[in-house]
Amino acid sequence: MKKILFLLFALLLVTNETESKRIVKGDLIFWVNEEMGTASVGSKTKWVKDLRGDGYGGYVSQYKGEHLVIPSEITNKKKSYKITSIYQDAFKYAKIKSVEIPNTVKEISDDAFLHCSNLVSITIPNSVHSIGAWAFSGCSSLSKIIIPNSVDTIKRYAFYGCKSLSELIIPNSVNVIENFAFENCALTKIVIPNSVNAIGAGAFRKNLNLEEVIVPDHEVQFNYEYSLSQVFLDCRNLKSVKGHSLPYCPEYMELQIDGRSPFRKDGIYDMQRKSFTYYAYEKVISRIVDWEKKKEYENTAQWQNRVTEQNRQAQVQKVIAELKTEYIKKNIPAHPDFSVAHH
């Protein structure tokens, strides 16, 4: 009996400790670390059954204000906690128009401002060293972003679908720009600083207004074989790519450093247009992009477990095999002795 009472008492202590780590102030919620004296900020959320008209549900922020001012610290029971991070999914789908982040914040977590479509102004302080995946994805009213010189990695899809984003400053502190970080934005010029050593696939894909790019003066690591072309895929108005070391591009892209866009499809020989490489290249990219995107029903952990490098490579091979079959059916006359295996 004494043992049972002891276990119940221990459970009660754990429960009280867990509850004390969550502090609610208005629409904001703070998760505190008693030992470190720090806190992460988020907001109250609610479940919406059909979030985007496609039958999938999800949690959305219940923050009601248009102007979000994140405090540098909070006080609870006479103890103060410094705000050092913005929590995962913190203000997802909130109607905020502006955000003020204090210089105590070091991390903006995954999905923090996902689909804040009214957001037009945000200043990221020099204290921030990490901008999470999908952090500002879908912020379609955001027109300018200055990455602080404390950030070393811009995570995948961080600014994906920021369709008004025309002005971007990347500082010399950034070493890595991950996959699709600025896909489908409105950038007109991009200067990639010499500090950048690695750029992910499709990092600046579908920037339809993009005309000029300056790349680093050294060799850059890319995720895929046809590196530069994939980074700027579908940038149809790109006229100038300048830099000391430009990687190999596919034969049909005819790289010209200061002339016509290396990524347009005009001026290509008929033979090249009929090749399997030409037929499959963008289709592979498009299908892998769709496969890689986080689904509405997935949380970040599920998405990360599904979209691993091993799974991605397997999916690429699967897509290529499917496209080979399609290509053969379209381009090779039917013959009773012919099969895909013979190709």
Side-chain angles (χ1 to χ4, degrees), residues 4 47 69 71 82 93 123 173 181 199 242 247 250 296 314 319 325 330:
I4 293 174
W47 177 262
V69 179
K82 185 185 292 184
Y93 287 92
T123 301
S173 60
I199 304 178
K242 300 177 181 178
E296 288 292 337
V319 171
T325 302
K330 288 183 177 181

Side-chain angles (χ1 to χ4, degrees), residues 29-31 38-42 70-71 82-88 90-91 101 104-109:
I29 297 177
F30 301 89
W31 288 266
T38 59
S40 182
V41 63
I70 297 173
K82 185 185 292 184
I83 310 302
T84 57
S85 66
I86 299 173
Y87 201 70
Q88 181 178 321
F91 299 98
I101 301 174
T104 56
V105 171
K106 298 179 180 179
E107 179 183 8
I108 301 174
S109 301

Side-chain angles (χ1 to χ4, degrees), residues 126-194:
N126 285 331
S127 57
V128 172
H129 61 76
S130 176
I131 298 176
W134 304 86
F136 295 94
S137 177
C139 293
S140 53
S141 298
L142 191 64
S143 61
K144 178 181 179 180
I145 193 74
I146 300 175
I147 309 293
N149 58 18
S150 50
V151 172
D152 57 17
T153 300
I154 302 172
K155 297 289 183 67
R156 61 177 65 184
Y157 296 99
F159 296 91
Y160 170 84
C162 293
K163 296 182 179 181
S164 299
L165 185 61
S166 59
E167 190 172 349
L168 169 68
I169 297 177
I170 304 174
N172 275 316
S173 60
V174 173
N175 297 317
V176 179
I177 302 173
E178 291 191 356
N179 296 358
F180 314 108
F182 296 95
E183 181 184 352
N184 202 15
C185 295
L187 299 171
T188 57
K189 179 180 179 179
I190 298 170
V191 178
I192 301 174
N194 284 332

Side-chain angles (χ1 to χ4, degrees), residues 49-69:
K49 288 184 178 180
D50 191 3
L51 189 58
R52 301 174 70 179
D54 56 6
Y56 294 111
Y59 285 97
V60 300
S61 172
Q62 286 189 285
Y63 186 80
K64 296 180 178 64
E66 290 186 344
H67 307 288
L68 171 63
V69 179

Side-chain angles (χ1 to χ4, degrees), residues 192-197 199 214-220 242-246:
I192 301 174
N194 284 332
S195 59
V196 173
N197 296 313
I199 304 178
I214 299 176
V215 298
D217 290 336
H218 56 78
E219 196 70 32
V220 176
K242 300 177 181 178
H244 179 267
S245 178
L246 293 176

Side-chain angles (χ1 to χ4, degrees), residues 69-82:
V69 179
I70 297 173
S72 59
E73 68 175 19
I74 59 163
T75 301
N76 187 58
K77 297 179 180 179
K78 297 183 179 180
K79 184 173 180 178
S80 295
Y81 303 91
K82 185 185 292 184

